[in-house]
Amino acid sequence: MNVVASKVVLNLGKTSTQLARRAFGSDAEPLVKTALNELHKELGGDMVPFAGYELPVLYKGENGGVMKEHLHCRSPGKSSLFDVSHMGQIRWHGKDRVAFIESLVVGDIAGLAEGSGLLSLVTNENGGIIDDTVITNAGDYIYMVVNGACKHGDMAHFKKQMEDFEGEVCMDYLGDDMQLLALQGDGAASAMAKLLPSDFDLAKMGFMTGVDITLDGIEGCRITRCGYTGEDGFEIAMPMENAVSVASKLFEDPSVMATGLGARDSLRLEAGLCLYGNDLDETTTPIEGVLGWTMGGKGGRRRMEQGFLGADKILTPDGKFQKVARKRVGIAGMRAPARDHTEIYDATGETKIGEITSGTFSPTLKKPIAMGYVATASAKAGTEVMLKIRNKMQKAQITKMPFVTTNYYKPE
């Protein structure tokens, strides 16, 4: 655990160069193993480097593989368990924590009721997206989860901003002491309920809410009803020493399947969700990424007050979205999958108008789907385009996202 406080000695434990190497899994440092590493291998996990960690891309065996794992997560009454312990968990303390976080991100953190959370974006001075993050008001602290490949860069950015911040704020990076699992799918709630205290009413827990809780008698855990698949589900944080116990308890439910990074990627793309580094980066603004909604509605406090880095590059002085030359869109209708960097042309095939950032074969829809950026004038759903796939032009069409119906839970 590393604690960084404003006006106090700053210590992230590693130099920025070391952190950058670790974040992207270079050969300079050994891969970090999560608490479930041996369990993954016992279950047939095909282990690969990812964000500096050794994680399963899929599980070998009769019921394994990306296709079967993906379809299991989409099946009625079933759920999938992902190891996402590479992601960064941060607790923010101090009386001015909300003001400081609102200087970093575009969302309305002050407006979050206790237990409520939201997806937000960390921006730079040019309005580019440094990372996307889920932030929850945990009452005595703010709970933030950032992407694994970005977390050390994020914290270096946070530390730099803290040096100029006059208020009281403390960044508590939980490191690998706290592991993180994601349970996703229609059956996630019934599987999760078996670990919860008998008096906890899961039916009242809505999407994007979280709570500190005891799980299967283990104190110091936290669950957030959110995820990265478009399905109902939970992100489950627990002390490292208890991670195998929690996972094993969940696997006692026959509807729960171990699922790897491969299916996680195809599930999120079907749900129209971005992968940082592919679909979002520091040169992309929230408006280009069609994520303006993270700043609230027209006339909302954050859009009017602004005050976050790069706001003047994203919004007009009266809170309107600045015009952009390109926008993120869904793309479908091509015969073959279009991978990232595939060039997008207009319907004539003569003028390049954009590029694919993510693409796959959709196991649910049984057809290729993709996400990318095109010139704003061509971003309307239904627009005919051409894709240059393996040096051959294929017809495709701009389409709305998500590609599948999402099933986020809302209490009745």
Side-chain angles (χ1 to χ4, degrees), residues 38-310:
E38 290 303 316
L39 180 58
H40 291 314
K41 293 176 180 177
E42 290 173 13
L43 294 171
D46 184 359
M47 310 301 285
V48 298
F50 186 78
Y53 286 71
E54 185 176 69
L55 291 167
V57 67
L58 54 81
Y59 292 84
K60 301 171 184 176
E62 183 179 352
N63 297 316
V66 173
M67 182 74 73
K68 289 182 178 178
E69 291 170 21
H70 178 115
L71 292 174
H72 179 91
C73 188
R74 293 273 188 248
S75 298
K78 307 293 186 181
S79 61
S80 299
L81 188 65
F82 304 82
D83 185 353
V84 292
S85 298
H86 63 291
M87 298 183 75
Q89 300 179 71
I90 299 171
R91 291 175 182 160
W92 293 95
H93 302 276
K95 65 181 179 65
D96 300 307
R97 59 186 181 274
V98 170
F100 177 69
I101 295 171
E102 285 201 343
S103 73
L104 302 173
V105 306
V106 305
D108 183 1
I109 310 306
L112 286 175
E114 184 171 342
S116 295
L118 50 70
L119 173 72
S120 198
L121 306 170
V122 183
T123 50
N124 60 26
E125 292 87 347
N126 297 316
I129 300 169
I130 294 175
D131 201 1
D132 55 304
T133 174
V134 173
I135 301 172
T136 309
N137 176 3
D140 293 337
Y141 64 95
I142 298 292
Y143 178 62
M144 172 186 281
V145 178
V146 297
N147 283 301
C150 303
K151 62 184 180 183
H152 296 298
D154 289 349
M155 289 187 289
H157 171 72
F158 299 156
K159 181 182 76 169
K160 181 180 178 182
Q161 298 304 312
M162 289 171 74
E163 291 173 351
D164 297 323
F165 185 68
E166 296 298 328
E168 180 184 313
V169 63
C170 175
M171 180 175 72
D172 179 8
Y173 170 51
L174 304 185
D176 295 318
D177 294 340
M178 286 292 283
Q179 300 282 280
L180 192 66
L181 306 179
L183 183 66
Q184 299 283 295
D186 180 67
S190 60
M192 188 78 248
K194 297 174 182 178
L195 278 69
L196 296 171
S198 58
D199 61 349
F200 187 85
D201 189 354
L202 197 58
K204 293 182 179 178
M205 185 179 189
F207 179 64
M208 294 303 283
T209 64
V211 64
D212 291 317
I213 199 164
T214 298
L215 293 178
D216 197 35
I218 299 166
E219 297 182 350
C221 300
R222 183 173 182 83
I223 61 172
T224 307
R225 197 159 199 164
C226 66
Y228 195 48
T229 64
E231 300 294 332
D232 185 23
F234 305 86
E235 288 189 353
I236 312 163
M238 76 293 295
M240 174 181 270
E241 60 269 23
N242 304 118
V244 171
S245 174
V246 171
S248 298
K249 184 70 174 181
L250 288 168
F251 284 136
E252 289 179 8
D253 187 322
S255 69
V256 178
M257 175 186 281
T259 307
L261 296 168
R264 187 168 184 256
D265 188 56
S266 55
L267 287 159
R268 68 91 191 167
L269 183 51
E270 286 186 346
L273 302 174
C274 297
L275 172 63
Y276 191 86
N278 279 46
D279 311 306
L280 302 174
D281 60 30
E282 292 195 23
T283 69
T284 305
T285 71
I287 312 306
E288 291 174 318
V290 194
L291 295 169
W293 58 269
T294 60
M295 295 180 281
K298 185 177 180 180
R301 183 179 68 85
R302 296 277 16 225
R303 285 175 61 171
M304 298 307 294
E305 294 181 3
Q306 302 180 25
F308 52 88
L309 284 175

